[in-house]
């Protein structure tokens, strides 16, 4: 009998070995298909650039960064009064100007391509890190990362970021990298602090870390942010006083027209609807405080419930909604959101998997960088996608006279982002109430045999003590 049992034990793995081999082959085939999809996506982008070089990459914002870096090195006194063109100023922190000063040491041609390649690489790396934060490993992680990156490359926020030479994809990568590090790392929080030192919006992750119970990480992020301010005052004392001590950093209009079509924030939506920033700000302020508090609290609740990636992704979406200025390219936060949905789909059963995949495709369609023309010399050039339904000047400037379908299409990203926000907050609230009801439903623990014996002994001792007291009184 023992020999037969040993025989069965050694034979069982052979029975399943072909199935495992086929599963591995299918996984490798999926990886190859996903890699081919990404290669085709990148190739299409390169071909589009070669065919329409001026329409795909202008490096307009990178030009502002470069000039600001030159000013920081040579004439810092006019850093925040200088204008590239009418109304186009440098709006980042003095610490950011110091970083751009280092970038300005590169030849202009080299700087452009370094920024473009770094921006493109940051997309798949962000997706990879997001999937790792969800516990994905091995071939499946690589296959999902390739497929999502191929799709994300052609979303309007990513296309626009690359077009402008924006730093936004790199800041996104820095924050996501930091959030996906192990809590045991003593330096976790540095990435958020550095990103906030360049652009203030990532500061929203500090209260999120506090509410999520990550006190040390919040302290590290705060300390790092403070160090960036100190460095700014040491290297650029004059511009630092202008930025921090005159209230320059809290003026929404310093970065451009708040009611512009491409400002897809809650303040932008209200400014277009109410006829301007002056009328919108009193309405916007209480709304944005509530939205920020709920978003941060819900993100922290998801993290405490063991869902950190949905938690900080919700906070990222919240940051774009509540920021006074959220240009269309600031919505690169949909990249980790798409990665999150793909990771959830891979870990779910059939019906839920289809739901996650359909949600991801819907987001990709809404935020897609759809071309305005499909024929002629400007064919297949990704523009604003569905934002504003390809509206052209001078209609693009009639932002305070919207009606009908324009109320949706001209606010498309902020409406879609608000919907994602509400869904995620609803999920967080549902999880919170379910956990609370479960705790109430758990009965008190039954006493063990040892506990019962100790309680009985205690009762006997108390009885004996009372009997002795009665005898002494008698």
């Amino acid at each position: 009998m023992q020999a037969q049992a040993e025989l069965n034990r050694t034979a069982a793995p052979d029975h399943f070995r072909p199935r495992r081999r086929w599963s591995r082959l299918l996984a490798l085939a999926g990886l190859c298909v996903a890699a081919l999809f990404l290669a085709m996506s990148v190739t299409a982008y390169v071909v589009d650039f070669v065919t329409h070089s001026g329409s795909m990459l202008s490096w307009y914002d990178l030009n502002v960064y470069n000039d600001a870096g030159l000013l920081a090195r040579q004439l810092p006194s006019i850093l925040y009064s200088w204008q590239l063109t009418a109304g186009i100023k440098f709006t980042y922190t003095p610490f950011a100007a110091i970083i751009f000063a280092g970038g300005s040491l590169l030849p202009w041609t080299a700087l452009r391509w370094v920024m473009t390649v770094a921006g493109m690489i940051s997309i798949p790396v962000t997706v990879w890190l997001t999937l790792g934060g969800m516990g994905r490993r091995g071939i499946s992680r690589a296959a999902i990362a390739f497929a999502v990156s191929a799709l994300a490359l052609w979303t309007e926020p990513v296309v626009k970021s690359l077009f402008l030479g924006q730093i936004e994809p790199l800041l996104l990568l820095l924050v996501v990298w930091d959030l996906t590090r192990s809590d045991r790392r003593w330096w976790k929080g540095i990435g958020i602090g550095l990103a906030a030192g360049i652009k203030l919006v990532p500061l929203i992750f500090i209260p999120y870390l506090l509410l999520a119970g990550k006190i040390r990480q919040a302290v590290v992020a705060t300390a790092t942010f403070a160090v960036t301010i100190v460095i700014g005052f040491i290297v650029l004392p004059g511009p630092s006083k202008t930025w921090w001590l005159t209230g320059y950093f809290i003026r929404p209009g310093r970065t451009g027209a708040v009611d512009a079509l491409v400002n897809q924030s809650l303040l932008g939506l209200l400014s277009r609807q109410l006829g301007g920033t002056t009328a919108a700000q009193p309405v916007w302020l209480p709304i944005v405080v509530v939205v920020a508090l709920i978003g941060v609290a819900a993100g922290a609740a998801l993290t405490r419930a063991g869902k950190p990636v949905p938690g900080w992704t919700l906070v990222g979406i919240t940051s774009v909604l509540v920021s006074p200025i959220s240009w269309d390219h600031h919505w690169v936060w949909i990249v980790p959101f798409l990665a999150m949905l793909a990771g959830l789909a891979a870990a779910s059963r059939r019906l839920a998997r289809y739901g996650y995949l359909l949600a991801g495709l819907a987001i990709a369609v809404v935020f897609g960088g759809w071309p305005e023309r499909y024929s002629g010399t400007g064919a297949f050039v990704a523009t604003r996608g569905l934002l504003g339904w390809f509206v052209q000047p001078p209609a693009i400037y009639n932002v305070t006279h919207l009606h009908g379908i324009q109320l949706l299409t001209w606010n498309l990203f902020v409406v879609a982002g608000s919907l994602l926000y509400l869904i995620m907050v609803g999920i967080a609230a549902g999880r919170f109430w379910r956990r609370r009801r479960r705790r109430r439903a758990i009965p008190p623990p039954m006493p063990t045999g040892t506990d019962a014996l100790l309680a009985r002994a205690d009762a006997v001792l108390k009885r004996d003590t009372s009997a002795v007291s009665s005898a002494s009184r008698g």
Side-chain angles (χ1 to χ4, degrees):
M1 292 294 290
Q2 184 176 356
Q4 184 64 33
E6 292 293 332
L7 182 63
N8 291 340
R9 192 177 302 147
T10 55
D14 293 333
H15 177 71
F16 293 103
R17 199 166 294 162
R19 185 179 300 176
R20 293 175 183 172
R21 188 180 297 118
W22 277 109
S23 298
R24 185 169 180 80
L25 287 174
L26 288 174
L28 289 172
L31 177 63
C32 292
V33 171
L36 182 61
F37 184 31
L38 178 58
M40 290 173 59
S41 180
V42 174
T43 302
Y45 188 90
V46 173
V47 170
D48 215 355
F49 165 73
V50 172
T51 310
H52 315 97
S53 57
S55 301
M56 290 296 293
L57 295 172
S58 72
W59 297 287
Y60 190 87
D61 286 5
L62 183 60
N63 200 12
V64 177
Y65 303 158
N66 187 58
D67 287 356
L70 292 171
L71 288 172
R73 287 166 49 199
Q74 301 171 4
L75 198 60
S77 60
I78 66 168
L79 181 62
Y80 290 113
S81 59
W82 160 87
Q83 298 184 59
L84 179 67
T85 58
I88 304 299
K89 300 180 179 181
F90 180 68
T91 60
Y92 289 79
T93 64
F95 178 73
I98 297 170
I99 294 176
F100 297 145
S104 68
L105 295 172
L106 292 174
W108 174 237
T109 301
L111 179 62
R112 287 186 302 177
W113 289 111
V114 166
M115 197 67 167
T116 300
V117 172
M120 292 187 73
I121 291 175
S122 68
I123 300 305
V125 176
T126 297
V127 174
W128 175 267
L129 291 172
T130 304
L131 293 170
M134 301 180 72
R136 304 303 303 179
R137 297 291 184 270
I139 294 176
S140 65
R141 181 184 182 184
I144 296 170
F146 289 159
V148 173
S149 301
L151 198 62
L153 178 61
W154 287 99
T155 56
E156 197 273 353
V158 173
V159 170
K160 190 66 170 292
S161 293
L162 296 175
F163 172 77
L164 295 172
Q166 256 285 333
I167 198 174
E168 206 68 32
L170 300 179
L171 294 179
L172 171 69
L173 174 59
L174 184 57
V175 172
V176 171
W177 169 81
D178 198 10
L179 290 168
T180 52
R181 297 307 87 201
S182 170
D183 288 340
R184 293 190 297 271
R185 304 286 187 182
W186 65 266
W187 39 261
K188 182 174 181 177
I190 285 180
I192 291 173
L194 287 174
I198 296 170
K199 182 179 180 179
L200 300 181
V201 175
L203 285 173
I204 195 173
F205 286 96
I206 293 178
Y208 155 75
L209 290 173
L210 288 172
L211 291 177
K214 303 179 187 295
I215 308 300
R216 179 171 53 81
Q217 293 85 343
V219 171
V220 171
T222 304
T224 304
F225 174 65
V227 168
T228 67
I229 297 175
V230 172
I231 291 173
F233 271 98
I234 293 172
V235 180
L236 297 172
S240 293
K241 291 177 183 177
T242 301
W243 172 269
W244 294 110
L245 304 181
T246 66
Y248 181 80
F249 68 95
I250 60 173
R251 299 173 194 164
R254 77 183 192 279
T255 60
V258 177
D259 58 5
L261 167 65
V262 288
N263 181 19
Q264 291 292 301
S265 68
L266 289 172
L267 180 57
L269 182 150
L270 291 171
S271 297
R272 288 186 286 273
Q273 186 65 24
L274 300 178
T277 309
T278 303
Q281 278 187 317
V283 180
W284 167 77
L285 188 57
I287 292 175
V288 81
V289 169
V290 172
V291 170
L293 289 175
I294 293 176
V296 169
L302 285 170
T303 300
R304 284 182 174 272
K307 304 292 181 182
V309 171
W312 55 252
T313 303
L314 170 58
V315 178
I317 295 294
T318 303
S319 72
V320 191
L321 289 173
V322 302
S323 175
I325 298 291
S326 292
W327 303 128
D328 49 351
H329 53 268
H330 292 172
W331 281 95
V332 288
W333 270 101
I334 63 164
V335 173
F337 203 96
L338 289 172
M340 178 193 73
L341 289 175
L344 291 172
S348 302
R349 295 185 178 181
R350 183 172 299 177
L351 188 59
R353 179 178 300 174
Y354 291 152
Y356 288 127
L357 291 177
L358 287 174
L361 288 175
I363 293 171
V365 168
V366 170
F367 287 91
W370 301 99
E372 184 178 352
R373 297 186 182 93
Y374 291 87
S375 61
T377 56
F380 298 104
V381 175
T383 54
R384 282 190 307 276
L386 300 180
L387 186 61
W389 288 97
F390 310 115
V391 62
Q392 295 296 322
I396 192 174
Y397 304 112
N398 299 329
V399 292
T400 57
H401 300 85
L402 306 180
H403 53 82
I405 192 65
Q406 290 179 332
L407 295 172
L408 173 62
T409 59
W410 287 55
N411 300 300
L412 186 62
F413 288 1
V414 65
V415 170
S418 298
L419 183 59
L420 297 178
Y421 167 89
L422 290 173
I423 292 172
M424 295 291 288
V425 168
I427 292 172
R431 284 183 171 275
F432 175 78
W433 289 113
R434 281 198 299 272
R435 288 179 65 195
R436 192 169 180 180
R437 289 172 62 183
R438 257 191 247 115
R439 287 176 182 173
R440 289 178 177 177
I442 296 175
M446 296 295 291
T448 61
T450 305
D451 293 336
L453 287 173
L454 290 172
R456 187 174 178 183
D458 187 56
V460 170
L461 288 172
K462 287 181 178 178
R463 188 174 59 221
D464 292 344
T465 303
S466 60
V468 170
S469 301
S470 300
S472 62
R473 286 195 299 266

